[in-house]
Short mmCIF file of all heavy atoms in Angstrom, two decimals:
data_model
loop_
_atom_site.label_atom_id
_atom_site.label_comp_id
_atom_site.label_asym_id
_atom_site.label_seq_id
_atom_site.Cartn_x
_atom_site.Cartn_y
_atom_site.Cartn_z
N GLN A 153 -32.70 87.90 -61.96
CA GLN A 153 -32.31 87.22 -60.73
C GLN A 153 -33.50 87.22 -59.78
O GLN A 153 -33.65 88.10 -58.93
CB GLN A 153 -31.11 87.92 -60.10
CG GLN A 153 -29.92 87.97 -61.05
CD GLN A 153 -28.70 88.62 -60.44
OE1 GLN A 153 -28.75 89.15 -59.33
NE2 GLN A 153 -27.60 88.59 -61.16
N THR A 168 -28.34 87.49 -54.48
CA THR A 168 -28.53 86.72 -55.72
C THR A 168 -27.22 86.51 -56.45
O THR A 168 -27.14 85.77 -57.42
CB THR A 168 -29.52 87.44 -56.66
OG1 THR A 168 -28.98 88.75 -56.92
CG2 THR A 168 -30.88 87.58 -56.02
N HIS A 169 -26.19 87.22 -56.00
CA HIS A 169 -24.84 87.06 -56.55
C HIS A 169 -23.84 87.64 -55.57
O HIS A 169 -24.23 88.35 -54.63
CB HIS A 169 -24.69 87.73 -57.94
CG HIS A 169 -25.18 89.15 -57.99
ND1 HIS A 169 -25.24 89.87 -59.15
CD2 HIS A 169 -25.63 90.00 -57.01
CE1 HIS A 169 -25.71 91.10 -58.90
NE2 HIS A 169 -25.95 91.18 -57.62
N SER A 171 -21.69 89.80 -56.27
CA SER A 171 -21.31 91.17 -56.65
C SER A 171 -21.52 92.12 -55.47
O SER A 171 -20.88 93.17 -55.39
CB SER A 171 -22.16 91.65 -57.83
OG SER A 171 -22.05 90.79 -58.92
N ARG A 195 -31.43 82.06 -55.68
CA ARG A 195 -32.40 82.59 -56.65
C ARG A 195 -33.63 81.70 -56.63
O ARG A 195 -33.52 80.47 -56.54
CB ARG A 195 -31.81 82.61 -58.07
CG ARG A 195 -30.70 83.65 -58.18
CD ARG A 195 -30.12 83.76 -59.55
NE ARG A 195 -28.83 84.44 -59.46
CZ ARG A 195 -28.03 84.68 -60.47
NH1 ARG A 195 -28.38 84.31 -61.69
NH2 ARG A 195 -26.88 85.30 -60.29
N GLN A 209 -20.93 80.79 -56.27
CA GLN A 209 -20.30 81.63 -57.30
C GLN A 209 -18.89 82.01 -56.88
O GLN A 209 -18.56 82.02 -55.69
CB GLN A 209 -21.06 82.95 -57.40
CG GLN A 209 -22.25 82.94 -58.31
CD GLN A 209 -22.71 84.37 -58.59
OE1 GLN A 209 -22.54 85.25 -57.75
NE2 GLN A 209 -23.26 84.59 -59.76
N GLU A 211 -16.86 85.48 -57.93
CA GLU A 211 -16.82 86.70 -58.75
C GLU A 211 -15.49 87.40 -58.50
O GLU A 211 -14.94 87.35 -57.39
CB GLU A 211 -17.98 87.63 -58.39
CG GLU A 211 -19.33 87.03 -58.76
CD GLU A 211 -20.36 88.08 -59.15
OE1 GLU A 211 -20.05 89.29 -59.08
OE2 GLU A 211 -21.46 87.67 -59.53
N PHE A 249 -25.07 93.41 -68.83
CA PHE A 249 -25.29 93.43 -67.38
C PHE A 249 -25.34 94.90 -66.99
O PHE A 249 -24.55 95.71 -67.51
CB PHE A 249 -24.12 92.76 -66.62
CG PHE A 249 -23.92 91.31 -66.98
CD1 PHE A 249 -22.89 90.92 -67.83
CD2 PHE A 249 -24.76 90.32 -66.46
CE1 PHE A 249 -22.69 89.58 -68.16
CE2 PHE A 249 -24.57 88.98 -66.79
CZ PHE A 249 -23.55 88.61 -67.64
N PHE A 251 -24.31 96.34 -64.44
CA PHE A 251 -23.15 96.81 -63.68
C PHE A 251 -21.85 96.82 -64.48
O PHE A 251 -20.80 97.21 -63.98
CB PHE A 251 -22.97 95.99 -62.40
CG PHE A 251 -23.45 94.56 -62.54
CD1 PHE A 251 -22.59 93.56 -62.99
CD2 PHE A 251 -24.76 94.22 -62.23
CE1 PHE A 251 -23.03 92.26 -63.13
CE2 PHE A 251 -25.21 92.91 -62.37
CZ PHE A 251 -24.36 91.92 -62.81
N THR A 252 -21.89 96.36 -65.73
CA THR A 252 -20.68 96.42 -66.56
C THR A 252 -21.02 97.02 -67.93
O THR A 252 -22.11 96.84 -68.45
CB THR A 252 -20.06 95.02 -66.76
OG1 THR A 252 -21.08 94.09 -67.11
CG2 THR A 252 -19.34 94.53 -65.53
N GLY A 283 -19.88 85.41 -67.01
CA GLY A 283 -20.23 86.76 -67.48
C GLY A 283 -19.15 87.72 -67.01
O GLY A 283 -18.54 87.51 -65.96
N CYS A 284 -18.91 88.79 -67.79
CA CYS A 284 -17.85 89.70 -67.40
C CYS A 284 -18.03 91.05 -68.09
O CYS A 284 -18.93 91.23 -68.92
CB CYS A 284 -16.49 89.12 -67.77
SG CYS A 284 -16.32 88.79 -69.55
N GLY A 285 -17.17 91.99 -67.78
CA GLY A 285 -17.24 93.28 -68.45
C GLY A 285 -16.43 94.32 -67.70
O GLY A 285 -15.83 94.04 -66.66
N ALA A 306 -14.80 93.22 -64.08
CA ALA A 306 -15.43 92.29 -63.14
C ALA A 306 -15.87 91.06 -63.93
O ALA A 306 -16.09 91.13 -65.14
CB ALA A 306 -16.64 92.94 -62.47
N PHE A 307 -15.94 89.97 -63.23
CA PHE A 307 -16.44 88.74 -63.87
C PHE A 307 -17.10 87.88 -62.80
O PHE A 307 -16.85 88.06 -61.60
CB PHE A 307 -15.31 87.97 -64.57
CG PHE A 307 -14.18 87.59 -63.63
CD1 PHE A 307 -14.23 86.42 -62.91
CD2 PHE A 307 -13.08 88.43 -63.48
CE1 PHE A 307 -13.20 86.08 -62.04
CE2 PHE A 307 -12.05 88.09 -62.61
CZ PHE A 307 -12.10 86.92 -61.89
N GLY A 308 -17.96 86.99 -63.23
CA GLY A 308 -18.63 86.12 -62.26
C GLY A 308 -18.96 84.78 -62.90
O GLY A 308 -19.36 84.71 -64.06
N1 LIG B 401 -23.21 88.99 -61.19
C1 LIG B 401 -23.45 88.32 -62.44
C2 LIG B 401 -24.38 87.14 -62.20
O1 LIG B 401 -24.49 86.67 -61.11
C3 LIG B 401 -22.17 87.81 -63.04
C4 LIG B 401 -21.27 88.92 -63.46
C5 LIG B 401 -20.33 89.43 -62.59
C6 LIG B 401 -21.33 89.44 -64.74
C7 LIG B 401 -19.50 90.45 -62.99
C8 LIG B 401 -20.51 90.46 -65.14
C9 LIG B 401 -19.59 90.95 -64.27
O2 LIG B 401 -25.02 86.68 -63.12
#
Side-chain angles (χ1 to χ4, degrees):
Q153 302 182 354
T168 58
H169 50 186
S171 303
R195 292 182 197 179
Q209 274 194 330
E211 294 212 357
F249 299 103
F251 31 88
T252 46
C284 59
F307 57 87

